[in-house]
């Protein structure tokens, strides 16, 4: 049974800095790319995690976690459950470290993400697109084969790895006022918030979700994790943000460190994907576009500031979908 966490469980800046050390030479230190805006508008800088070797930020958490395992544990192999980007990050890490990786993935995962995982040498097990099937199958495989479970978000080591995104943001722009971060299971925003608030407490952290998968918004409002059905979250084009409920440890971070959550529409997401491609030359998958969409379409709902940073979390978009959206 899950349990709510307390502030004593929050990931520290020291843990994030240690993760950064393990990631040196593995992940890309992604730049802050200016988004062209009219004169007089607050500046918007986009952090394109799409430039990582696996096309998304997930490599930070996966590599930081797996590389920290004792050798004898790591050599038995790893298993995870993921809709795509975390799975690909685990597969990439396993290949780099020469270990076995088994990935439990919903059968609705875009083929571009599944094919990329298989090309990295991982084994894929398909399940129904709901949280129960994913977790149950991954746990069963771990128990049967001695694999180590690498959680996609509800894990302090994973959160510390994702927190290196926030560490880099403040190091590159110490004057940042507002950081916009997509929310799925909550690992990315937890790590970013922990790093940014430790280094620049006055900065505001805003989570962004599709309005068709706004479980984190509801959770923050009600003070407890709220679950949406797979059918409800499955309506959004942002397949990477279809997690039905934020994790317990991420929720503790969200309650303690996140200043608000805004939602964006499907049309907002598609329009932002087009603008990112045309105006910054950056390819964003739907999930990766939501943070920038919050600035472009809902700035009146955001805190005031002179410098905004949006995290473009991934660029692994299905080519057919990208062609449809970009047209």
């Amino acid at each position: 049974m899950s349990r709510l966490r307390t502030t004593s469980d929050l990931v520290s800046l020291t843990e994030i800095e240690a993760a950064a050390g393990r990631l040196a030479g593995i992940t890309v230190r992604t730049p802050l790319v200016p988004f062209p805006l009219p004169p007089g508008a607050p500046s918007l800088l986009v952090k394109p995690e799409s430039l990582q070797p696996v096309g998304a930020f997930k490599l930070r958490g996966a590599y930081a976690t797996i590389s920290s395992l004792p050798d004898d544990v790591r050599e038995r192999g790893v298993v995870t459950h993921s809709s795509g980007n975390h799975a690909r990050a685990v597969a990439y890490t396993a290949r780099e470290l020469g270990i076995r990786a088994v990935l439990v993935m919903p059968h609705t995962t875009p083929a571009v993400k599944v094919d990329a995982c298989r090309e990295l040498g991982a084994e894929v097990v398909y399940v129904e697109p709901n949280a129960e099937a994913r977790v149950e199958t991954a746990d069963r495989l771990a128990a049967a084969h001695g694999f180590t479970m690498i959680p996609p978000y509800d894990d302090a080591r994973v959160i510390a790895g994702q927190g290196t995104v926030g560490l880099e943001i403040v190091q590159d722009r110490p004057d940042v006022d507002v950081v916009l971060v997509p929310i799925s299971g909550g690992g990315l925003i937890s790590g970013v918030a922990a790093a940014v608030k430790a280094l620049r407490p006055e900065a505001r952290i805003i989570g962004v979700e599709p309005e068709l998968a706004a479980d984190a918004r509801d959770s923050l409002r009600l003070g407890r994790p709220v679950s949406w059905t797979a059918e409800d979250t499955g309506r959004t084009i942002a397949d990477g943000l279809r997690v039905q409920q934020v994790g317990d440890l991420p929720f503790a971070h969200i309650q303690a460190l996140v200043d608000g959550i805004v939602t964006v529409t499907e049309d907002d997401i598609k329009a932002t994907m087009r603008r990112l491609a045309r105006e910054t030359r950056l390819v964003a998958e739907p999930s990766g576009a939501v943070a920038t969409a919050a600035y472009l379409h809902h700035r009146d709902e955001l805190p005031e500031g002179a410098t905004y940073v949006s995290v473009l979390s991934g660029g692994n978009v299905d080519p057919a979908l990208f062609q449809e959206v970009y047209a």
Side-chain angles (χ1 to χ4, degrees):
M1 180 177 293
S2 64
R3 67 178 182 88
L4 296 179
R5 307 296 186 97
T6 67
T7 53
S8 63
D9 295 316
L10 302 189
V11 168
S12 67
L13 181 61
T14 299
E15 291 172 288
I16 295 169
E17 290 172 336
R22 288 194 292 275
L23 295 174
I26 302 298
T27 54
V28 174
R29 186 188 179 94
T30 51
L32 295 177
V33 178
F35 193 102
L37 295 166
S43 68
L44 172 62
L45 304 169
V46 180
K47 188 165 178 64
E49 287 295 292
S50 52
L51 302 181
Q52 294 297 345
V54 300
F57 75 96
K58 289 285 191 176
L59 181 59
R60 296 174 183 265
Y63 195 94
T65 301
I66 297 171
S67 64
S68 71
L69 297 174
D71 290 346
D72 60 327
V73 173
R74 189 167 64 227
E75 288 168 1
R76 291 198 293 269
V78 294
V79 64
T80 194
H81 54 90
S82 164
S83 62
N85 284 334
H86 176 68
R88 186 172 179 179
V90 169
Y92 181 93
T93 300
R95 188 191 67 176
E96 292 298 296
L97 297 176
I99 62 174
R100 184 181 179 189
V102 178
L103 315 174
V104 177
M105 306 180 75
H107 64 73
T108 54
T109 302
V112 64
K113 295 184 178 182
V114 177
D115 292 345
C117 292
R118 287 181 167 147
E119 288 170 6
L120 289 167
E123 303 163 54
V124 175
V125 177
Y126 280 125
V127 295
E128 290 301 309
N130 61 70
E132 293 78 9
R134 288 163 52 160
V135 174
E136 179 183 344
T137 302
D139 285 344
R140 177 166 46 81
L141 289 167
H145 299 282
F147 301 142
T148 297
M149 172 69 79
I150 307 300
Y153 48 83
D154 204 353
D155 183 277
R157 299 162 300 178
V158 171
I159 290 172
Q162 319 304 26
T164 59
V165 172
L167 189 67
E168 292 173 9
I169 288 172
V170 180
Q171 288 173 343
D172 290 348
R173 283 306 297 256
D175 62 340
V176 64
D177 295 310
V178 182
V179 182
L180 307 170
V181 190
I183 301 183
S184 183
L188 176 61
I189 195 168
S190 296
V192 169
V196 172
K197 290 289 189 178
L199 295 169
R200 183 166 167 77
E202 62 269 40
R204 296 291 174 259
I205 307 296
I206 303 296
V208 188
E209 292 183 294
E211 64 178 19
L212 296 182
D215 58 286
R217 177 203 61 192
D218 291 351
S219 300
L220 186 60
R221 286 177 177 175
L222 294 176
R224 57 178 173 80
V226 171
S227 179
W228 281 36
T229 67
E231 292 74 21
D232 283 341
T233 61
R235 297 172 298 164
T236 181
I237 192 175
D239 61 280
L241 305 182
R242 290 174 180 163
V243 170
Q244 296 164 240
Q245 179 178 309
V246 296
D248 292 337
L249 184 55
F251 182 66
H253 286 76
I254 290 169
Q255 276 197 305
L257 302 172
V258 173
D259 297 288
I261 296 174
V262 302
T263 62
V264 295
T265 69
E266 301 298 286
D267 286 343
D268 295 339
I269 295 170
K270 294 173 186 177
T272 301
M273 290 173 67
R274 287 192 293 271
R275 290 193 64 182
L276 282 165
R278 290 171 179 164
E279 299 176 43
T280 67
R281 312 301 186 266
L282 295 173
V283 173
E285 61 188 274
S287 305
V290 298
T292 305
Y295 180 96
L296 296 179
H297 298 278
H298 299 271
R299 191 153 65 86
D300 59 334
E301 300 175 39
L302 302 177
E304 291 294 325
T307 302
Y308 293 72
V309 172
S310 65
V311 179
L312 194 170
S313 54
N316 295 316
V317 59
D318 182 271
L321 174 61
F322 183 74
Q323 184 176 17
E324 174 190 332
V325 168
Y326 192 76

